[in-house]
Amino acid sequence: MFLAALALVIMFALAACGNSEKTEGSGGGAKSDGVQELTIKIAHVVAENTPKHQGALKLKEVIEKESDGKIKVQVYPNSSLFGDKDEYQNLVANNVQFILPDMSKLVGNDPGFNIPAMPFLFESDEAANAFWDGEKGQEIFTRLEKDGVLGMAMWPNGAKHMTNDKKAIKKPEDLDGMKIRTQGGQLLEAIYAELGAGSASIPFGELYTALQQGTVDGQENTFSNIESKKFDEVQKYMTIMGHTRVDYALLTNTKFWEGLNDETKAIVQKGVDEGTKLARESAKKLNDDALAKLKENGQVEINELSDAEIEEFKKTLEPIYIEWAEKIGKDIIEDAESK
């Protein structure tokens, strides 16, 4: 009887050891040979008809297909799982395995995430993609590892352009005395202060009404956001500037990632790569289509800055470059300018 009892104790101990090798992802799965069985949650705060959501669905499709269904991927759009204010903390806690925050939400974690807000830094989506795929962009991502967070990729929304209800903006002085809605943040506030304008942070969902009621004179956004939210109905002028950007960071939990065996990790990485490719392609097409529709609508006067006019803005904003290059890192700024 003693030997039988001892055998049972040993069996339970071995079983407990085996269970301790489960990954940190929702549902878990033993870290051994073969594809691990687990559930991955992806949360974001925007709607389904966006490049971000389409990329997330592609990530889900690839992972579930390549794993023969052993890995389940659940996508939560529209802040249905976590919102802007708490998604990062829940990623750190591994309550969700992937999030896609606007990089402006990460500037408190590291000043390098101010890069999309640096004026006229990138001439195209391709240049921005190349920076974040390169050495310096990846270096900024690694600075989140102190929080237990791993930066996987940049997913773009695109360059921002300006609308207003006062006059066509062609030179820095045209902004003098205006009040412009921005996403918020010290860098954007500093940019508009240097241009003689005030800035206000208003929730995106309330922006149409704020423009309609004259709470602010104008706003900056991507073509897709301007067209989809019908800002051309309540604004008279749009300037194609590309002065700042909206870009997202695809982030995962470090413990979750390190808990995957090589075979499982390769499958998840393939999903990330394919999702990133689709999100980037979708963002460019969506913005191109939105600009064409804004022109077709004919409700807003559209002006595009010439190279000489852009240089005038750059000259006015030179103090911003000097101050923020110190905060972000001159080597990082120089690398971005080279793309």
Side-chain angles (χ1 to χ4, degrees):
M1 291 178 64
F2 172 77
L3 290 175
L6 181 61
L8 285 172
V9 170
I10 293 171
M11 287 174 61
F12 282 119
L14 289 172
C17 290
N19 287 336
S20 70
E21 291 186 331
K22 289 198 173 185
T23 68
E24 296 296 323
S26 176
K31 187 177 180 182
S32 57
D33 292 336
V35 179
Q36 294 160 267
E37 294 187 16
L38 66 151
T39 300
I40 295 173
K41 295 179 181 178
I42 305 173
H44 65 79
V45 302
V46 299
E48 288 92 337
N49 60 335
T50 57
K52 187 189 289 192
H53 188 66
Q54 295 307 309
L57 291 180
K58 186 65 175 179
L59 190 154
K60 167 185 169 70
E61 174 193 325
V62 171
I63 291 175
E64 291 186 341
K65 179 181 178 182
E66 293 294 321
S67 69
D68 290 326
K70 288 185 178 180
I71 305 174
K72 306 297 183 184
V73 181
Q74 300 170 350
V75 181
Y76 297 88
N78 284 314
S79 302
S80 56
L81 187 62
F82 303 112
D84 270 334
K85 294 181 180 180
D86 61 355
E87 63 178 357
Y88 191 84
Q89 291 82 356
N90 277 285
L91 180 70
V92 172
N94 201 27
N95 295 326
V96 59
Q97 285 67 57
F98 285 100
I99 63 170
L100 283 148
D102 184 325
M103 288 190 185
S104 67
K105 307 298 181 185
L106 301 171
V107 296
N109 300 82
D110 189 272
F113 289 102
N114 280 293
I115 283 289
M118 281 293 283
F120 303 104
L121 193 57
F122 298 113
E123 292 186 356
S124 64
D125 286 347
E126 290 74 20
N129 294 343
F131 169 77
W132 288 103
D133 290 347
E135 179 185 352
K136 294 300 179 180
Q138 292 298 305
E139 179 185 319
I140 294 171
F141 278 141
T142 63
R143 296 174 187 173
L144 298 175
E145 291 179 14
K146 65 183 185 299
D147 297 334
V149 171
L150 189 65
M152 302 295 287
M154 179 275 265
W155 289 14
N157 189 335
K160 289 190 286 186
H161 311 279
M162 195 176 300
T163 69
N164 81 93
D165 201 35
K166 297 295 184 183
K167 58 182 175 181
I169 296 170
K170 298 182 179 180
K171 54 187 183 299
E173 304 90 85
D174 292 333
L175 279 158
D176 189 43
M178 285 194 189
K179 190 173 184 180
I180 306 296
R181 181 268 181 186
T182 72
Q183 295 159 279
Q186 293 180 335
L187 177 50
L188 287 174
E189 290 175 6
I191 288 171
Y192 283 100
E194 198 69 39
L195 294 171
S199 60
S201 179
I202 296 172
F204 187 59
E206 300 172 16
L207 183 51
Y208 183 97
T209 302
L211 293 170
Q212 186 178 46
Q213 296 178 348
T215 307
V216 287
D217 299 310
Q219 60 86 48
E220 55 168 29
N221 243 304
T222 60
F223 290 135
S224 61
N225 284 348
I226 292 169
E227 189 277 322
S228 64
K229 294 300 182 181
K230 303 186 185 301
F231 293 153
D232 56 329
E233 292 180 349
V234 290
Q235 300 275 267
K236 294 179 181 177
Y237 307 95
M238 181 173 80
T239 302
I240 298 176
M241 297 178 71
H243 56 303
T244 57
R245 295 183 54 83
V246 179
D247 291 320
Y248 306 117
L250 177 64
L251 307 177
T252 192
N253 178 283
T254 304
K255 288 184 179 179
F256 158 73
W257 184 254
E258 292 175 350
L260 304 179
N261 63 28
D262 290 343
E263 188 174 350
T264 306
K265 191 176 290 184
I267 290 172
V268 177
Q269 183 64 60
K270 185 174 182 179
V272 167
D273 294 341
E274 292 295 322
T276 299
K277 181 182 178 182
L278 181 66
R280 290 178 175 181
E281 291 171 352
S282 299
K284 179 171 174 48
K285 185 178 186 306
L286 192 65
N287 281 311
D288 288 346
D289 291 348
L291 176 58
K293 193 166 183 180
L294 287 166
K295 290 178 178 179
E296 182 184 334
N297 290 345
Q299 296 187 97
V300 62
E301 179 183 307
I302 300 175
N303 299 281
E304 184 168 6
L305 295 183
S306 66
D307 290 342
E309 288 168 336
I310 288 175
E311 287 302 317
E312 192 175 348
F313 272 91
K314 286 182 178 179
K315 185 176 180 180
T316 300
L317 293 171
E318 193 170 334
I320 300 295
Y321 287 100
I322 295 171
E323 177 186 355
W324 284 85
E326 293 288 342
K327 294 179 179 179
I328 294 171
K330 290 182 179 179
D331 58 328
I332 290 174
I333 298 298
E334 289 172 1
D335 185 73
E337 289 175 333
S338 72
K339 302 303 182 186

